[in-house]
Amino acid sequence: MPTGTIESLDHEARGIARLDGKTIFVEGALPGEEVEYASFRRKPSYELAHTLRVLKASGARVAPRCPHFGVCGGCSMQHLDPAAQVAAKQRVLENNLWHLGKIRAEQLYPPIYGAPWGYRYRARLSVRLVQKKGGMLVGFHEKKSSFIADMRRCEILPPHVSALLMPLRRLIGALSINDQLPQIEVAVGERATVLVLRILVAPTPADETLLREFADAHGIVFFLQPKGPATAYLFHPPDAPALSYRLPEFAIEHYFSPTEFTQVNPAVNRVLVRRAIGLLAPKAGEHIADMFCGLGNFTLPIARSGASVAGIEGSAELVRRAADNAAANGLADRVEYGVANLFEATPESLAALGRFDKMLIDPPREGALELVKALDDDPGSSPKRIVYVSCSPATLARDAAILVNSKGYRFRGAGVVNMFPNTSHVESIALFER
């Protein structure tokens, strides 16, 4: 079998080796290691391979904490020390900015990170009846597969949620609709843990009794979702507290429904919001835009500073939730929300929103290409400062290059946010100034 020396990690946490001018992507290998590998896909310029044997191990290699590592597709970096994971993600960010955007930040910010385990307060678990594996399976998909991993526990879920995996398997196995329940959405808030059961047919009265008994015994809340996310409704207990998360530094509490988007890692989100507000430096009297605002994760902290904020979001449902949160936190007089498809932004549609002193952009993975292209080239008419929160280094690099090369902004700084420890997912934050 061939051997190779691993030079670096790619954006999927695969080791990169070179052999005869070809790039070899080796799953399970770390930088500095000498490994024996077997290729499972060969192309003219690259190969994809598995690690067969580590001949010389990296000092950053650690024993994976989860017994399902390597089978479950939820994590890909548990074999790398958590501090080294953060450093690797910083390099992924820098490489994307330079190789894709041909730009470098003037400053690299200290990385934002938190506890590597038990952090995932939002998750989507798949459910399937597989008789040859002993009955019901509840968990994440296997790596690069539609099969569901045979999970007994999950180290990145909160411990009390991880402890529910086996009881859930037994519960769903006892339901008459056990083959009509494909998914469970997990949402953990300040005062409640909600499980949303996606049901293709209605449960029988006997099923409903089992669900109520389970919820009472385990202190959780069941929602049922017969169709799309908007159809989810509270099932039991009827007096369950509302889901929420707090930003204590800004005296804000956000309420949300279990199918609405919120950050999966509340501890890191608190630090991220603090960093974003610090970079944006909002002041009383300023008019600030929060683009892709969601339910107001950044909008309300900006408003708490005394600035007036326009929160723009494509989902009317999220905008309604955001407006309710502004009112609940006593900030309705400083916030104005609007519905707009920012993926189709034009100079005209952006100008119609008014002039902004500063702007925060927090797009999904697709980035904010049309939005940054639509910004006015005139320094007197466009935001003097932009904070960009990204969940894709590639689209950040693309959009940053436009801000720097076409719109005349300086790329003041950037840094990684380890929102998803033990995975290859890279979040980041960047600052641009006129």
Side-chain angles (χ1 to χ4, degrees):
M1 288 293 178
T3 63
T5 300
I6 306 302
E7 300 173 2
S8 59
L9 290 179
D10 75 347
H11 67 285
E12 295 183 23
R14 298 174 300 193
I16 298 176
R18 316 279 178 185
L19 182 66
D20 299 330
K22 182 181 282 192
T23 302
I24 316 295
F25 298 97
V26 188
E27 295 178 353
L30 298 175
E33 292 188 330
E34 185 81 18
V35 301
E36 182 179 86
Y37 63 87
S39 295
F40 60 87
R41 182 176 299 168
R42 291 180 172 88
K43 297 291 184 179
S45 61
Y46 71 90
E47 294 182 15
L48 304 182
H50 299 294
T51 299
L52 293 179
R53 193 157 55 105
V54 178
L55 306 175
K56 176 188 172 187
S58 164
R61 179 176 283 275
V62 296
R65 178 164 167 170
C66 177
H68 311 301
F69 177 72
V71 176
C72 174
C75 296
S76 61
M77 298 182 80
Q78 284 196 25
H79 59 313
L80 182 61
D81 176 79
Q85 291 181 30
V86 176
K89 293 181 181 187
Q90 184 81 44
R91 285 191 291 274
V92 167
L93 173 62
E94 293 177 62
N95 288 340
N96 274 268
L97 291 171
W98 180 244
H99 293 298
L100 299 180
K102 304 301 180 187
I103 52 174
R104 286 193 174 99
E106 296 175 16
Q107 179 185 357
L108 289 177
Y109 299 133
I112 294 173
Y113 58 92
W117 308 107
Y119 65 83
R120 192 173 184 117
Y121 278 44
R122 302 299 305 269
R124 182 171 295 162
L125 304 174
S126 294
V127 181
R128 191 169 300 162
L129 179 62
V130 184
Q131 295 292 3
K132 65 180 182 180
K133 289 189 177 181
M136 298 307 308
L137 296 181
V138 176
F140 296 116
H141 284 279
E142 293 182 0
K143 187 166 57 175
K144 298 177 183 175
S145 170
S146 62
F147 295 122
I148 299 174
D150 186 0
M151 298 170 58
R152 265 63 177 173
R153 69 177 197 263
C154 176
E155 298 293 344
I156 63 173
L157 291 175
H160 75 282
V161 177
S162 174
L164 290 174
L165 290 178
M166 293 305 292
L168 278 170
R169 289 167 67 157
R170 292 190 289 271
L171 167 69
I172 298 170
L175 299 178
S176 70
I177 60 168
N178 58 22
D179 60 346
Q180 299 291 315
L181 199 162
Q183 179 181 292
I184 301 174
E185 192 101 14
V186 179
V188 180
E190 296 284 346
R191 292 175 290 275
T193 294
V194 172
L195 302 181
V196 183
L197 305 182
R198 174 73 175 96
I199 52 170
L200 304 181
V201 297
T204 66
D207 292 336
E208 291 181 346
T209 296
L210 290 175
L211 292 173
R212 292 189 185 96
E213 290 174 349
F214 186 95
D216 292 341
H218 294 277
I220 56 99
V221 179
F222 273 131
F223 273 59
L224 300 182
Q225 181 186 327
K227 293 184 180 178
T231 67
Y233 65 93
L234 174 64
F235 173 72
H236 188 79
D239 58 347
L243 282 169
S244 70
Y245 70 92
R246 295 191 182 112
L247 298 173
E249 189 172 336
F250 301 96
I252 286 168
E253 184 165 8
H254 288 283
Y255 292 90
F256 62 96
S257 84
T259 57
E260 290 171 343
F261 174 81
T262 58
Q263 293 287 8
V264 304
N265 189 329
V268 166
N269 182 58
R270 289 178 178 179
V271 185
L272 171 61
V273 172
R274 181 192 310 146
R275 172 76 58 85
I277 301 304
L279 294 175
L280 196 64
K283 296 179 177 60
E286 290 182 330
H287 189 39
I288 297 175
D290 180 12
M291 300 300 199
F292 305 95
C293 68
L295 52 73
N297 188 48
F298 295 103
T299 319
L300 298 190
I302 295 170
R304 188 66 84 196
S305 70
S308 65
V309 193
I312 310 299
E313 165 62 45
S315 165
E317 185 178 340
L318 278 178
V319 164
R320 285 192 293 271
R321 174 72 66 180
D324 290 343
N325 276 323
N329 285 276
L331 293 168
D333 59 334
R334 296 185 199 162
V335 177
E336 182 179 359
Y337 286 107
V339 180
N341 183 356
L342 295 173
F343 295 113
E344 298 178 358
T346 64
E348 294 74 22
S349 70
L350 199 55
L353 297 175
R355 182 185 173 279
F356 298 106
D357 298 294
K358 298 172 182 175
M359 181 177 288
L360 188 141
I361 305 174
D362 180 20
R365 294 188 65 81
E366 297 92 331
L369 178 61
E370 297 306 320
L371 174 61
V372 297
K373 285 166 59 178
L375 290 170
D376 199 314
D377 294 341
D378 179 6
S381 302
S382 55
K384 63 187 176 183
R385 181 175 295 183
I386 295 175
V387 171
Y388 191 129
V389 178
S390 168
C391 57
S392 168
T395 53
L396 171 62
R398 179 200 66 196
D399 296 347
I402 294 172
L403 289 171
V404 172
N405 298 322
S406 299
K407 301 298 179 179
Y409 283 87
R410 292 181 64 177
F411 191 7
R412 289 295 197 180
V416 296
V417 182
N418 198 17
M419 186 72 72
F420 297 84
N422 296 299
T423 79
S424 60
H425 191 81
V426 181
E427 301 238 350
S428 55
I429 186 168
L431 173 64
F432 303 88
E433 279 189 318
R434 286 292 189 188

